[in-house]
């Protein structure tokens, strides 16, 4: 009879004294910087978890990587590295630790394994997918290559290892325009994000033909240019000049209405710079984690306007899952990829590092 599945999210720890817990709660309260939602009492409830995770991390020499869309308790409580998909894939490649725990969606943890196959990569939430990476498989790319032979294939990093293995080069939100421009020939296939594909078609117009797949990010697809225009008008009527920052997974009408377009990390850096320069009225057209990092990291006055959208996949991971995966990982929390796929997928990532630098 198969053994019952182990449960996630029910670890109770009695390892720490009241004094340790209070000191950790104060640290968390100070770094998270959201005094109404993350009160000192709330921080006290998570302090035993962050203490134990940080102790285990040191003891077992584990490097914890978190994407910016993870929740603040993970980002400021336990992560060693927080950034966008490009920087995190480099951090995974360059980490000296033998074990990486990747707090994010599955394709990012898979990417860490591809760039450092000799390391153990733990992924606490095996069912945390992504509408882009789940919307295409290796056969879809093979079909495109058959239909359009001898054309370079660029794939967004938001894809499975199997899809990366079929591509010539990988790209991220911070380098897709420059890398695709550098590819040889007058045509290219771009998968799977149709919106990024549309930006590529526009920016490479007259230089290259871009054949685009039909995927989309369910979070960024929600935003519209019309909403930005109406917010701008309303703000203008009050004498407020809005600066709009968008992620390139949004549709082209959104990007055309935006002042700055960039990866999650680029948006955070730009917003912090804007607020430091006194331009405090900022509209963020992206996932909510970006705003949470800006709130935590800004030392200046900020007025974040409009609503963000939450990625249900990114928010699946909790501190309990990280602790459980560190203590006793289930087989599905340890990334395993066929060697043949790793070897091919690594070539597309190495090509990205080469062309991006
Ligand atoms: P970044 O490259 O900006 O981290 O984007 C990854 C992602 O999934 C955004 O939705
Ligand atoms: Fe995927 Fe969109 Fe979530 Fe990013 S925000 S992980 S692209 S579904």
């Amino acid at each position: 009879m198969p053994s019952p599945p182990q449960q996630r999210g029910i670890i109770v720890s009695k390892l720490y004294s009241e004094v340790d817990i209070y000191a950790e709660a104060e640290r968390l309260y100070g770094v998270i910087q959201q005094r109404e939602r993350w009160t000192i009492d709330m921080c006290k409830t998570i302090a035993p978890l962050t203490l134990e995770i940080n102790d285990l991390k040191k003891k077992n020499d584990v490097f914890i990587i978190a994407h910016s869309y993870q929740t603040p308790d993970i980002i400021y409580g336990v992560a060693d590295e927080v950034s966008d998909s490009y920087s995190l894939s480099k951090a995974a490649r360059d980490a000296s630790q033998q074990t990486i725990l990747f707090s994010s969606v599955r394709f990012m943890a898979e990417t860490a394994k591809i760039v450092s196959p000799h390391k153990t990569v733990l992924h606490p939430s095996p069912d945390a997918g992504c509408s882009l990476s789940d919307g295409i498989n290796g056969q879809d790319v093979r079909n495109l290559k058959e239909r359009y032979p001898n054309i370079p294939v660029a794939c967004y990093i938001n894809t499975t290892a199997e899809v990366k293995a079929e591509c010539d080069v990988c790209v991220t939100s911070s380098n897709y325009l420059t890398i695709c421009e550098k590819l040889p020939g007058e045509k290219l296939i771009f998968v799977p994000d149709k919106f990024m594909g549309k930006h590529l078609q526009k920016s490479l117009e007259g230089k290259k033909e871009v054949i685009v797949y039909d995927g989309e990010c369910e979070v960024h697809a929600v935003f519209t240019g019309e909403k930005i225009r109406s917010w701008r008008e309303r703000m203008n009527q009050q004498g407020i000049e809005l600066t709009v920052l968008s992620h390139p997974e949004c549709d082209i009408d959104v990007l055309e209405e935006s002042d700055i377009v960039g990866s999650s990390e680029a948006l955070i850096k730009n917003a912090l710079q804007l607020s430091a320069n006194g331009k405090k009225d900022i509209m963020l057209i992206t996932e909510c984690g970006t705003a949470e990092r800006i709130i935590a990291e800004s030392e200046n006055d900020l007025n974040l306007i409009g609503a963000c959208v939450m990625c249900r996949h990114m928010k699946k991971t909790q501190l309990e899952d990280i602790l459980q995966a560190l203590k006793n990982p289930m087989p599905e929390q340890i990334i395993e990829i066929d060697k043949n796929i790793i070897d091919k997928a690594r070539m597309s990532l190495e090509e990205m590092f080469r062309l991006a630098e």
Side-chain angles (χ1 to χ4, degrees):
M1 207 169 85
S3 54
Q6 294 182 46
Q7 280 182 289
R8 292 165 53 200
I10 51 152
I11 290 168
V12 181
S13 162
K14 294 211 170 70
L15 296 176
Y16 301 94
S17 68
E18 268 299 305
V19 175
D20 289 341
I21 290 172
Y22 195 76
E24 176 67 351
E26 281 201 313
R27 179 187 78 82
L28 294 165
Y29 184 66
V31 284
I32 294 175
Q33 290 279 342
Q34 290 188 50
R35 306 268 150 105
E36 277 160 25
R37 280 174 62 204
W38 292 91
T39 59
I40 191 77
D41 283 342
M42 173 68 89
C43 291
K44 264 173 95 174
T45 68
I46 59 166
L49 293 167
T50 56
L51 282 168
E52 195 172 355
I53 291 169
N54 287 325
D55 282 350
L56 277 175
K57 186 174 84 174
K58 268 189 227 131
K59 187 171 146 233
N60 299 338
D61 197 27
V62 180
F63 190 56
I64 299 190
I65 297 181
H67 187 266
S68 293
Y69 296 172
Q70 297 295 282
T71 50
D73 50 342
I74 294 175
I75 291 185
Y76 300 106
V78 299
D80 299 300
E81 188 77 30
V82 179
S83 191
D84 60 18
S85 56
Y86 180 69
S87 300
L88 294 182
S89 55
K90 282 206 301 186
R93 182 194 63 183
D94 300 338
S96 59
Q97 291 83 348
Q98 191 45 43
T99 304
I100 292 169
L101 183 144
F102 211 128
S103 186
S104 184
V105 288
R106 191 70 169 182
F107 77 82
M108 290 197 194
E110 277 193 4
T111 304
K113 182 70 182 175
I114 297 165
V115 294
S116 43
H118 54 286
K119 294 177 193 163
T120 301
V121 178
L122 301 175
H123 184 230
S125 313
D127 54 347
C130 161
S131 64
L132 279 169
S133 68
D134 295 341
I136 185 166
N137 61 31
Q139 189 57 50
D140 295 320
V141 185
R142 286 193 287 279
N143 292 345
L144 275 171
K145 291 200 288 193
E146 230 173 86
R147 193 157 158 216
Y148 305 100
N150 305 318
I151 295 176
V153 184
C155 67
Y156 191 33
I157 199 161
N158 297 37
T159 44
T160 59
E162 187 207 6
V163 166
K164 287 184 178 79
E166 293 294 335
C167 298
D168 298 295
V169 63
C170 222
V171 299
T172 74
S173 57
S174 60
N175 56 35
Y176 69 108
L177 291 172
T178 47
I179 290 185
C180 288
E181 189 164 8
K182 286 181 189 168
L183 295 181
E186 287 167 3
K187 286 185 183 179
L188 74 107
I189 297 169
F190 180 77
V191 299
D193 189 336
K194 67 177 178 197
F195 294 134
M196 289 181 124
K198 270 204 232 171
H199 318 155
L200 277 167
Q201 284 171 332
K202 187 128 197 249
S203 80
L204 297 177
E205 209 171 341
K207 293 187 201 157
K208 277 182 197 294
E209 185 190 332
V210 186
I211 298 147
V212 173
Y213 193 74
D214 191 24
E216 66 176 33
C217 160
E218 66 190 40
V219 171
H220 291 91
V222 168
F223 299 102
T224 63
E226 184 46 43
K227 285 236 174 72
I228 302 177
R229 281 190 289 279
S230 67
W231 268 106
R232 264 201 212 280
E233 247 171 61
R234 243 175 293 152
M235 291 293 118
N236 276 344
Q237 280 162 11
Q238 294 175 41
I240 295 171
E241 197 197 333
L242 208 54
T243 310
V244 180
L245 288 78
S246 303
H247 194 278
E249 286 167 11
C250 297
D251 202 350
I252 200 141
D253 68 326
V254 170
L255 303 193
E256 281 173 355
E257 284 298 327
S258 304
D259 302 292
I260 295 168
V261 175
S263 74
S264 50
E265 190 64 28
L267 297 186
I268 292 164
K269 289 210 167 97
N270 274 286
L272 294 176
Q273 192 56 53
L274 283 163
S275 68
N277 294 344
K279 299 199 85 178
K280 66 179 175 66
D281 300 297
I282 291 170
M283 187 171 191
L284 284 166
I285 307 293
T286 189
E287 208 273 344
C288 300
T290 306
E292 299 211 89
R293 268 197 63 198
I294 293 166
I295 292 166
E297 291 169 35
S298 178
E299 288 165 3
N300 302 287
D301 208 11
L302 260 178
N303 183 22
L304 294 180
I305 288 155
C308 57
V309 178
M310 210 177 263
C311 173
R312 65 197 165 104
H313 312 286
M314 283 282 187
K315 304 300 193 233
K316 273 200 171 137
T317 313
Q318 299 188 10
L319 287 170
E320 285 93 335
D321 304 317
I322 295 178
L323 181 55
Q324 175 270 311
L326 281 176
K327 278 181 159 174
N328 186 19
M330 293 180 272
E332 61 271 32
Q333 289 174 316
I334 304 169
I335 302 281
E336 296 289 355
I337 305 170
D338 181 88
K339 185 181 176 317
N340 213 9
I341 301 259
I342 288 203
D343 289 344
K344 287 200 211 155
R346 195 167 63 236
M347 279 160 58
S348 70
L349 284 160
E350 277 170 2
E351 188 62 355
M352 170 180 81
F353 293 131
R354 189 181 75 81
L355 292 172
E357 250 115 79

